[in-house]
Amino acid sequence: DTAVSQTPKYLVTQMGNDKSIKCEQNLGHDTMYWYKQDSKKFLKIMFSYNNKELIINETVPNRFSPKSPDKAHLNLHINSLELGDSAVYFCASSRSPGHHIYEQYFGPGTRLTVT
Amino acid sequence: AQTVTQSQPEMSVQEAETVTLSCTYDTSENNYYLFWYKQPPSRQMILVIRQEAYKQQNATENRFSVNFQKAAKSFSLKISDSQLGDTAMYFCAFIYSEGGATNKLIFGTGTLLAVQP
């Protein structure tokens, strides 16, 4: 059973298109995240949702819009794709942060290539 | 601001030998965790080991252990009896609690480890 899954795993598209990446977790976690890994392998958080509420938005262009229909799903929609959006996008989930800190479980990543 | 620094972009080790990967971090927080993640060519992010800042004892997981020096803000990873399957990019990561508001991982730039047969 896959804990955190993402679809698609690979996405090749042209500049200007709109695309979505889907993420689902079956761990019963309340918090989900999107991270971006650039061509130099640097990983940086983009968004975090807790119980379907946005709690982290790391100055990501507003062409990127996350949507959480329920606690188990966090999708990422990207409008007007640009060459610089080419990267690997990772979804992750964890128990709700609080006084305790919980580790995050990552999906397999989606490699987005914009041509 | 919290930062994580990995000063070794690439390292190489012979199979069965021991290697240590370095990581330093900067924070004024008291309640935080440190992690090492492994990313093999499959690109899956795999948690290798975690260390709670309030614990003095260094964490160990089979062949993996850490040397956590809180005062020096250092968190190195030692891999003993290196295996070919250990070949991967290794990321040091830091996370802290802001009373429930945030739980974001801050990653270092990674160390690419190659285990040679």
Side-chain angles (χ1 to χ4, degrees), chain B residues 52-88:
Chain B
E52 294 90 333
Y54 63 85
K55 288 187 178 178
Q56 292 186 335
Q57 186 173 6
N58 289 325
T60 62
E61 286 287 341
N62 301 314
R63 297 182 296 107
F64 299 87
S65 61
V66 298
N67 183 3
F68 175 48
Q69 302 289 328
K70 190 172 183 179
K73 296 179 181 172
S74 169
F75 182 60
S76 60
L77 174 70
K78 185 170 87 171
I79 306 174
S80 304
D81 186 25
S82 297
Q83 300 176 359
L84 295 177
D86 295 334
T87 292

Side-chain angles (χ1 to χ4, degrees), chain A residues 15-67:
Chain A
M15 284 175 57
N17 285 349
D18 303 339
K19 290 292 178 186
S20 292
I21 305 171
K22 295 186 177 182
C23 178
E24 177 181 2
Q25 54 93 5
N26 62 5
L27 297 167
H29 291 160
D30 292 328
T31 305
M32 297 184 72
Y33 312 81
W34 279 110
Y35 287 85
K36 178 181 180 180
Q37 186 174 41
D38 64 23
S39 58
K40 295 183 179 178
K41 303 287 189 183
F42 184 63
L43 275 150
K44 190 169 191 283
I45 191 164
M46 300 172 69
F47 301 104
S48 173
Y49 269 75
N50 180 258
N51 283 318
K52 302 194 296 175
E53 182 182 344
L54 179 68
I55 56 172
I56 295 175
N57 182 343
E58 287 286 304
T59 60
V60 177
N62 57 16
R63 298 183 295 104
F64 290 78
S65 52
K67 284 189 172 50

Side-chain angles (χ1 to χ4, degrees), chain B residues 5 12 15 25 27 38 41 45 58 68-70 73 110:
Chain B
T5 302
S12 181
E15 202 174 0
Y25 60 96
T27 184
K38 166 185 176 180
M45 293 291 288
N58 289 325
F68 175 48
Q69 302 289 328
K70 190 172 183 179
K73 296 179 181 172

Side-chain angles (χ1 to χ4, degrees), chain A residues 9 37 58 98 103-104, chain B residues 37 39 43 50 97 103-104:
Chain A
K9 289 199 173 134
Q37 186 174 41
E58 287 286 304
E103 62 195 62
Q104 296 177 19
Chain B
Y37 279 89
Q39 187 178 37
R43 81 165 179 256
R50 59 184 278 167
S97 172
N103 196 20
K104 58 183 178 182

Side-chain angles (χ1 to χ4, degrees), chain B residues 1-116:
Chain B
Q2 336 295 329
T3 59
V4 178
T5 302
Q6 293 179 250
S7 58
Q8 305 151 315
E10 294 184 21
M11 293 192 72
S12 181
V13 64
Q14 291 296 123
E15 202 174 0
E17 292 187 348
T18 295
V19 64
T20 299
L21 308 183
S22 301
C23 174
T24 58
Y25 60 96
D26 190 22
T27 184
S28 56
E29 301 290 332
N30 285 318
N31 182 24
Y32 60 89
Y33 283 22
L34 294 158
F35 302 91
W36 279 97
Y37 279 89
K38 166 185 176 180
Q39 187 178 37
S42 66
R43 81 165 179 256
Q44 176 73 51
M45 293 291 288
I46 302 165
L47 180 64
V48 175
I49 200 165
R50 59 184 278 167
Q51 174 79 44
E52 294 90 333
Y54 63 85
K55 288 187 178 178
Q56 292 186 335
Q57 186 173 6
N58 289 325
T60 62
E61 286 287 341
N62 301 314
R63 297 182 296 107
F64 299 87
S65 61
V66 298
N67 183 3
F68 175 48
Q69 302 289 328
K70 190 172 183 179
K73 296 179 181 172
S74 169
F75 182 60
S76 60
L77 174 70
K78 185 170 87 171
I79 306 174
S80 304
D81 186 25
S82 297
Q83 300 176 359
L84 295 177
D86 295 334
T87 292
M89 180 75 90
Y90 286 82
F91 292 97
C92 179
F94 165 95
I95 195 168
Y96 66 100
S97 172
E98 283 188 342
T102 61
N103 196 20
K104 58 183 178 182
L105 275 167
I106 298 167
F107 287 91
T109 49
T111 296
L112 182 60
L113 177 67
V115 180
Q116 308 292 344

